[in-house]
Amino acid sequence: MQRYAVFGNPVAHSLSPVIHAYFAKVTGRDIAYTKILVPGTFKDSADAFFKEGGCGCNITMPCKQEAFAYADRLSDNAKAARAVNTLKKEADGTVSGYNTDGPGLMLDLQRLECPLKGAHVLIIGAGGAAQGILRPLMQQGCASISIVNRTAAKAAALAAAASLIRPEGSGTAVEAVTFEELQAHPEQYTFEIVINASSSSVNKAEAPLPDSLLSKAAFAYDLMYSTSGDTVFTQQCRRAGVNSVHDGMGMLVCQAALSFEIWQGVLVPPVQAVSELASVLRHA
Ligand code: NAP
């Protein structure tokens, strides 16, 4: 039986074993997928896992940067995110590193028929998740991406670094904005798509954005997910009148589907996977 695992600290809350057990069932693959707590360095835990025959793993907080350093080679999205959430042991014994978080969000946005091409997108947040979705969003042909963050300097730094990770042929304009600018002059900005890549919903804090700005969006997505299907941010967007509002459960399933594809060479169709898994996961 092929062995896979998710590494993190904490890791007990992870829904990945449930998701991968479902993928194994629908594809008829005989795999084991467990949770591994990383008490010390990620390298020590990963070395032991691969030595004992582990085939691949997912990596969650706070080990994604250590996994980035651990990999012998990196996908373009892992390089752009400077973080790895998927490792695969190759036949020659080397380990390849990938980041499926950004591509997972793109797969979910595709599932939700979110019109990214030509759109003006606002990303809230400038942490690891924002960094991970920036390059895949540029790849989709958005007209512009504006980044706003509680710590404005981090948004400015992320926007400035966009030129280093720009996919070939992408004409997406990337800029930083401040909450103060958006609050003072909402009439000057129109974002058709608003993506919350901050942890503000975890702290039960609304994004400091006026309803008059949010109400111009047709689509809003919170990377965070909740068992009820609504986060503080999705509630805020519904109240503002955004038509199509979603939490990050679909992204969670889609990033896992892409990891499974890297390991097993088969992609479970996202529409089927999200619809069959969402209610199970919300009650897990
Ligand atoms: P991170 O690297 O720690 O960054 C956190 C970001 O949130 C920073 O921009 C931070 O701003 C901002 N923030 C934190 N608390 C805030 C508050 N109370 N008000 C406003 N902004 C606040 O975390 P991350 O890895 O980017 O993750 C961000 C979110 O994405 C988390 O909720 C995570 O669960 C979610 N996520 C979901 C998936 C999925 O599959 N659905 C995948 C990855 C991540 P400062 O810079 O000012 O500190």
Side-chain angles (χ1 to χ4, degrees), residues 61 64 101 125-130 149-151 154 197-200 202-203 205 223-225 248-249 251-252 255:
M61 301 287 280
K64 291 183 183 184
D101 282 336
N149 189 46
R150 180 176 61 178
T151 308
K154 280 174 67 180
S198 84
S199 314
S200 61
V202 178
N203 301 312
L223 265 54
M224 200 190 130
Y225 50 85
M249 188 62 87
M251 173 179 173
L252 179 74
Q255 60 80 27

Side-chain angles (χ1 to χ4, degrees), residues 80 134-135 138-139 142-143 145 159-175:
L134 190 53
R135 182 177 187 275
M138 287 198 269
Q139 225 159 9
C142 304
I145 299 173
S163 60
L164 305 174
I165 60 168
R166 179 176 293 285
E168 217 177 296
S170 160
T172 306
V174 181
E175 60 157 17

Side-chain angles (χ1 to χ4, degrees), residues 84-261:
V84 156
N85 78 337
T86 305
L87 288 173
K88 179 189 180 191
K89 179 100 176 247
E90 304 291 355
D92 64 3
T94 59
V95 175
S96 302
Y98 303 83
N99 193 315
T100 66
D101 282 336
L105 174 63
M106 297 312 115
L107 205 55
D108 200 36
L109 294 180
Q110 206 176 22
R111 176 185 73 88
L112 295 165
E113 299 181 353
C114 172
L116 285 167
K117 202 167 173 54
H120 299 276
V121 179
L122 177 67
I123 297 179
I124 306 167
Q131 186 161 356
I133 65 175
L134 190 53
R135 182 177 187 275
L137 277 173
M138 287 198 269
Q139 225 159 9
Q140 297 300 314
C142 304
S144 71
I145 299 173
S146 302
I147 306 168
V148 65
N149 189 46
R150 180 176 61 178
T151 308
K154 280 174 67 180
L158 187 54
S163 60
L164 305 174
I165 60 168
R166 179 176 293 285
E168 217 177 296
S170 160
T172 306
V174 181
E175 60 157 17
V177 285
T178 65
F179 281 120
E180 290 74 17
E181 283 163 356
L182 297 176
Q183 283 159 349
H185 303 290
E187 74 288 351
Q188 289 180 12
Y189 298 89
T190 298
F191 304 109
E192 294 91 13
I193 298 168
V194 181
I195 298 174
N196 183 24
S198 84
S199 314
S200 61
S201 288
V202 178
N203 301 312
K204 306 270 178 244
E206 286 201 352
L209 294 172
D211 281 4
S212 60
L213 180 78
L214 288 174
S215 63
K216 286 188 258 180
F219 189 101
Y221 195 102
D222 194 350
L223 265 54
M224 200 190 130
Y225 50 85
S226 99
T227 49
S228 70
D230 246 334
T231 66
V232 173
F233 179 72
T234 59
Q235 278 168 2
Q236 180 181 3
C237 292
R238 281 185 216 289
R239 188 192 65 217
V242 183
N243 192 31
S244 190
V245 179
H246 310 272
D247 81 343
M249 188 62 87
M251 173 179 173
L252 179 74
V253 172
C254 288
Q255 60 80 27
L258 292 171
S259 296
F260 192 86
E261 184 187 28

